[in-house]
């Protein structure tokens, strides 16, 4: 379990990929990684910036965002504690293609690009981990396109919550998801009010419980299979 007061060292050691490293590799990671803090609503990184770090969420919540020419925001995904992101741009050595914004006060770990590439050169298990990471990320985004184009809002909210339970991308998530209704709306591309309606529909179906401090998932497989309608 990842808690808000976890240390940087413990957060790194808890990462799936760090457990694949040998002692020398882990020692270099611990020597090079550093932490930054971003308040709610602040930018962790901006579109167009050079990629200097691989980023892991220690505590808080991050959304991957972009804006149209008219200023309309589009949220691609949310990243809870335990998530690491930015590997695609690091591998391509390109500038960042999206903004990442703190949904709440957030601590992140930053592993310098030079250390990231050194791990690629020296650790076959780390390379295999990244292949799996990219494959899972691709599947996630294909699912998001399908959800956005084909599904009603109730089902989009259900799939949004279910997508948080990916043991490879989000290893720290537990059955009590600490998301507000506003955050669910942001991550599923709808308003807070409409997200609240959808959550009530899903609660009536016995799939979740609107609990103090978050949303308690009762039937994860049911959320993944859910196909409803926009009728509340």
């Amino acid at each position: 379990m990842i808690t808000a007061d976890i240390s940087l060292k413990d957060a790194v050691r808890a990462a799936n990929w760090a457990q694949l490293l040998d002692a020398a590799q882990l020692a270099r990671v611990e020597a090079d990684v550093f932490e930054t803090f971003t308040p709610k609503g602040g930018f962790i990184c901006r579109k167009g910036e050079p990629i200097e770090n691989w980023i892991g969420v220690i505590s808080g919540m991050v959304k991957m965002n972009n804006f149209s020419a008219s200023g309309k925001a589009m949220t691609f995904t949310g990243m809870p504690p335990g998530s690491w992101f930015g590997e695609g741009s690091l591998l391509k050595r390109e500038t960042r293609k999206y903004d990442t914004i703190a949904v709440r006060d957030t601590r992140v770990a930053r592993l310098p690009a030079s250390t990231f590439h050194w791990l690629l050169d020296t650790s076959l298990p780390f390379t295999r981990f990244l292949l799996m990471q990219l494959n899972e990320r691709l599947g996630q985004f294909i699912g998001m396109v399908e959800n956005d184009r084909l599904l009603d809002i109730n089902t989009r909210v259900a799939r949004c919550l279910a997508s948080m339970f990916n043991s490879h991308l989000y290893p720290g998530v537990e059955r009590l998801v600490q998301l507000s209704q506003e955050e669910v709306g942001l991550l599923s591309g709808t308003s807070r009010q409409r997200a609240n309606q959808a959550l009530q529909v899903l609660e009536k179906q016995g799939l979740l419980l609107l609990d103090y401090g978050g949303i308690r998932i009762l039937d994860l497989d049911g959320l993944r299979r859910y196909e409803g309608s926009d009728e509340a």
Side-chain angles (χ1 to χ4, degrees), residues 1-4 6 14 171-174 178:
M1 178 179 178
I2 297 176
T3 60
I6 190 173
V173 174
E174 296 196 339
Q178 295 181 334

Side-chain angles (χ1 to χ4, degrees), residues 11-214:
V12 169
R13 290 196 169 200
N16 290 352
W17 57 269
Q19 296 171 31
L20 303 173
L21 306 180
D22 63 30
Q25 292 161 343
L26 182 59
R28 173 162 173 178
V29 165
E30 291 178 347
D32 293 350
V33 71
F34 62 98
E35 178 182 331
T36 58
F37 171 82
T38 304
K40 178 182 178 179
F43 286 87
I44 291 169
C45 45
R46 291 179 179 267
K47 181 179 178 179
E49 289 180 341
I51 308 297
E52 298 177 343
N53 312 119
W54 192 35
I55 301 175
V57 183
I58 301 173
S59 66
M61 174 72 69
V62 175
K63 64 176 179 177
M64 188 181 293
N65 225 59
N66 224 332
F67 295 91
S68 68
S70 64
K72 182 179 180 181
M74 173 183 291
T75 298
F76 297 119
T77 189
M79 289 164 286
S83 311
W84 287 78
F85 63 91
E87 61 279 346
S89 296
L90 275 169
L91 289 168
K92 291 183 282 187
R93 300 178 188 271
E94 64 182 11
T95 58
R96 196 171 298 279
K97 301 299 184 184
Y98 50 83
D99 295 312
T100 54
I101 299 171
V103 176
R104 59 179 74 129
D105 290 353
T106 298
R107 297 164 57 207
V108 299
R110 296 178 181 266
L111 186 70
S114 57
T115 311
F116 174 89
H117 287 290
W118 176 78
L119 288 175
L120 275 176
D121 291 338
T122 60
S123 175
L124 182 58
F126 181 75
T127 302
R128 287 175 176 157
F129 171 88
L130 283 182
L131 285 173
M132 287 294 299
Q133 178 97 336
L134 292 168
N135 186 56
E136 294 289 340
R137 191 87 71 197
L138 176 61
Q140 181 187 50
F141 280 107
I142 289 173
M144 288 171 56
V145 171
E146 177 189 29
N147 293 350
D148 187 58
R149 295 184 180 180
L150 300 179
L151 302 181
D152 63 275
I153 293 176
N154 291 346
T155 308
R156 275 163 49 190
V157 170
R159 300 290 174 82
C160 172
L161 291 172
S163 72
M164 304 295 289
F165 293 88
N166 181 307
S167 60
H168 191 93
L169 295 176
Y170 313 128
V173 174
E174 296 196 339
R175 288 300 174 105
L176 178 62
V177 183
Q178 295 181 334
L179 287 175
S180 69
Q181 293 169 6
E182 179 183 9
E183 291 166 349
V184 172
L186 285 171
L187 298 179
S188 56
T190 190
S191 67
R192 181 191 64 79
Q193 293 85 350
R194 188 60 189 85
N196 178 40
Q197 292 174 8
L199 289 169
Q200 290 182 35
V201 169
L202 297 172
E203 185 176 40
K204 289 177 183 176
Q205 295 287 327
L207 302 175
L208 56 82
L209 179 65
L210 299 178
D211 203 346
Y212 178 77

